Amino acid sequence: MQPGARLQAAIEVLAEILNRHRPAAQALSDWGRAHRFAGSGDRAAIGNIVFDALRKRNSLSFLMGAETPRALALGVLAHAWGEAAEVIDAMCAGGRAPEPLSEAERAGLIAALDPDAPDWVRGNYPEWMADEFRAAFGAEAVAQGAALAERAPVDVRVNTLKADRAKVMKALREYAPEETPFSPVGVRVPVRARHHKAPKIEADAAHGKGWFEVQDEGSQIAALLAGAGPRHQVADVCAGAGGKTLALAAQMENTGQIYAYDADKTRLRPIFERLKRAGARNVQVLPAGNESALEELRERMDIVFVDAPCSGSGAWRRRPDAKWRLSPQALEKRHAEQRAVLAQSAPLVKPGGWLVYVTCSVLPSENDAQAAWFLAEYSDFAPVPLAQVWRETLSASFPGSAATGNGDSLLLTPASHGTDGFFIAILQRSA
């Protein structure tokens, strides 16, 4: 496909996403099935235009003076990819290319973002979240939001039950891997050039052998800080597909017992194949949605790991369309779900044990506010300072939290730590 045809295709996919409110991945997949002549390079370039347009939707529409699919796609080429206006002009000519540029579009291609533009425009987050971002980051709100609007690398966690980091680095050498800066079991494949798709790491033979799992470094850190070790009794009460369950199993060296539970059987279904591939034998998967199975664990758990349902705002680099689908009503629903799962989990913690509360969110209402609610409701729990846990667990200097808080919790972000956004609070039950 010619560059102009790729641009037109991206405009059409964006129209499906913005006008019909379809998930980006689904819209791109449907376009690919309907246009089988498009090669993998074409699909990668089209997908990158679409996802970069969604990542930077606010700033691009501000610069281009419109929020149409066409304006966003043109804006990506000029303002995210650095293409010259003359090059973009040449793309809009003939064949399957878009219509020629208007004078207003030409002006938008060379416009500069006003430093006095609203924070939510420069930071590329929804306007209705402006108060949340200010509460979380203060004067850093724009920088933190902007980092969530960039592309993310591919991180993998070495499965120490079967391999070590050197072995995985060697297996993935064609991708120019790097060691992650914080996690001792992490390997990172850097962001590739704008036209290239992220490599399909999971298609590698080393993944099939169970040597590694794709997992963001922030998620790895959350599992590491939980402090799970040999012979511990652990409940992972929002296990989902089992990413953190697998991490905990490796930390425990296949000893002790992990009870993996999720309220949704569809989310839980992939865990069985993943456990088998990883060689994790210390995990008992509880029946999905069977709360009585959890009740049997009452006051028996050294660690209760709560990866709570949340907005997913910490993963906007990977799922940028999600930030525009989120609504205040949906966020309120998440708040209720978080309190419900915390209330369900508290009785499982034995005296002296830990409840580890984690979200993939940067929003204070899902993070510190929920931890504060929990501590007010459950007076026999107290926060464990994260700086202390970090030093004891990772043997490295504490990098500090991205959030303005009291230091008892930790917020990891792309801008501050190079990870997805992850919140971690450790709450200990009195002995």
Side-chain angles (χ1 to χ4, degrees):
M1 294 175 68
Q2 294 297 313
R6 289 175 169 180
L7 175 60
Q8 179 59 31
I11 292 170
E12 293 169 5
V13 174
L14 280 167
E16 285 287 298
I17 296 166
L18 300 178
N19 299 336
R20 297 183 60 190
H21 309 288
R22 300 189 64 205
Q26 186 181 79
L28 282 163
S29 178
D30 287 351
W31 186 93
R33 280 195 292 270
H35 300 80
R36 296 190 180 278
F37 62 83
S40 60
D42 297 321
R43 293 193 298 273
I46 294 163
N48 286 343
I49 293 173
V50 168
F51 278 107
D52 282 349
L54 294 170
R55 289 184 179 101
K56 301 176 184 291
R57 178 176 169 179
N58 279 354
S59 61
L60 292 176
S61 60
F62 188 90
L63 287 161
M64 297 299 296
E67 200 175 0
T68 63
R70 175 182 167 98
L72 293 174
L74 291 171
V76 166
L77 298 183
H79 299 292
W81 293 13
E83 293 282 15
E86 307 81 59
V87 173
I88 300 171
D89 196 13
M91 290 184 192
C92 300
R96 297 176 178 174
E99 292 293 319
L101 296 175
S102 68
E103 289 305 313
E105 288 171 337
R106 293 177 195 277
L109 295 178
I110 60 173
L113 193 59
D114 188 340
D116 293 328
D119 287 357
W120 50 270
V121 169
R122 293 182 293 136
N124 280 299
Y125 48 83
E127 181 179 3
W128 66 269
M129 288 187 183
D131 289 343
E132 286 259 24
F133 266 72
R134 269 194 301 272
F137 304 117
E140 295 297 313
V142 170
Q144 294 286 347
L148 283 163
E150 296 297 330
R151 293 187 193 175
V154 177
D155 290 351
V156 307
R157 177 189 56 79
V158 176
N159 177 20
T160 53
L161 297 176
K162 289 191 171 184
D164 57 28
R165 184 146 69 173
K167 191 173 184 178
V168 172
M169 291 277 285
K170 184 177 180 180
L172 300 180
R173 59 186 177 276
E174 67 178 288
Y175 306 114
E178 305 167 352
E179 294 184 356
T180 49
F182 301 118
S183 170
V185 292
V187 173
R188 174 165 295 163
V189 175
V191 176
R192 303 185 71 188
R194 65 191 186 192
H195 292 302
H196 291 85
K197 195 172 183 179
K200 293 185 179 296
I201 297 291
E202 287 172 302
D204 195 275
H207 180 264
K209 295 174 184 177
W211 292 2
F212 67 83
E213 291 286 336
V214 174
Q215 185 176 27
D216 180 75
E217 187 185 20
S219 180
Q220 296 178 39
I221 290 170
L224 287 164
L225 294 179
R231 296 179 296 281
H232 275 154
Q233 297 291 304
V234 177
D236 185 359
V237 298
C238 298
K244 296 182 183 68
T245 307
L246 294 172
L248 295 168
Q251 290 165 219
M252 295 164 65
E253 301 174 6
N254 253 344
T255 67
Q257 187 75 62
I258 301 173
Y259 299 90
Y261 172 84
D262 199 281
D264 188 322
K265 64 181 180 182
T266 302
R267 286 198 300 264
L268 193 63
R269 177 64 184 86
I271 197 173
F272 298 98
E273 180 183 346
R274 297 181 77 185
L275 289 170
K276 182 177 180 181
R277 184 175 61 243
R281 300 186 302 273
N282 62 337
V283 179
Q284 180 179 335
V285 182
L286 301 180
N290 186 348
E291 295 184 9
S292 62
L294 280 182
E295 182 62 26
E296 294 178 10
L297 307 180
R298 191 180 185 91
E299 295 191 356
R300 291 172 48 196
M301 298 296 101
D302 297 293
I303 298 164
V304 176
F305 195 92
V306 182
D307 186 6
C310 68
S311 64
S313 53
W316 283 346
R317 298 188 300 176
R318 304 176 194 280
R319 295 186 290 276
D321 52 329
K323 66 178 165 181
W324 311 115
R325 292 201 306 268
L326 186 64
S327 67
Q329 295 75 23
L331 185 59
E332 284 292 332
K333 183 180 178 182
R334 288 286 179 259
H335 294 162
E337 292 169 345
Q338 288 153 8
R339 293 186 179 189
V341 74
L342 282 168
Q344 182 183 51
S345 302
L348 312 184
V349 184
K350 75 178 188 181
W354 284 5
L355 188 154
V356 182
Y357 177 66
V358 175
T359 72
C360 183
S361 173
V362 299
L363 306 180
S365 64
E366 298 187 277
N367 296 339
D368 279 315
Q370 296 292 48
W373 170 85
F374 179 85
L375 292 170
E377 291 289 318
Y378 297 87
S379 58
D380 55 338
F381 282 82
V384 179
L386 259 295
Q388 171 189 328
V389 178
W390 181 286
R391 287 190 291 268
E392 293 174 353
T393 304
L394 297 176
S395 302
S397 59
F398 182 58
S401 178
T404 56
N406 59 15
D408 286 335
S409 59
L410 172 63
L411 180 62
L412 302 167
T413 66
S416 298
H417 308 91
T419 68
D420 282 352
F422 271 93
F423 173 82
I424 306 152
I426 298 176
L427 311 165
Q428 184 173 28
R429 190 170 192 175
S430 57

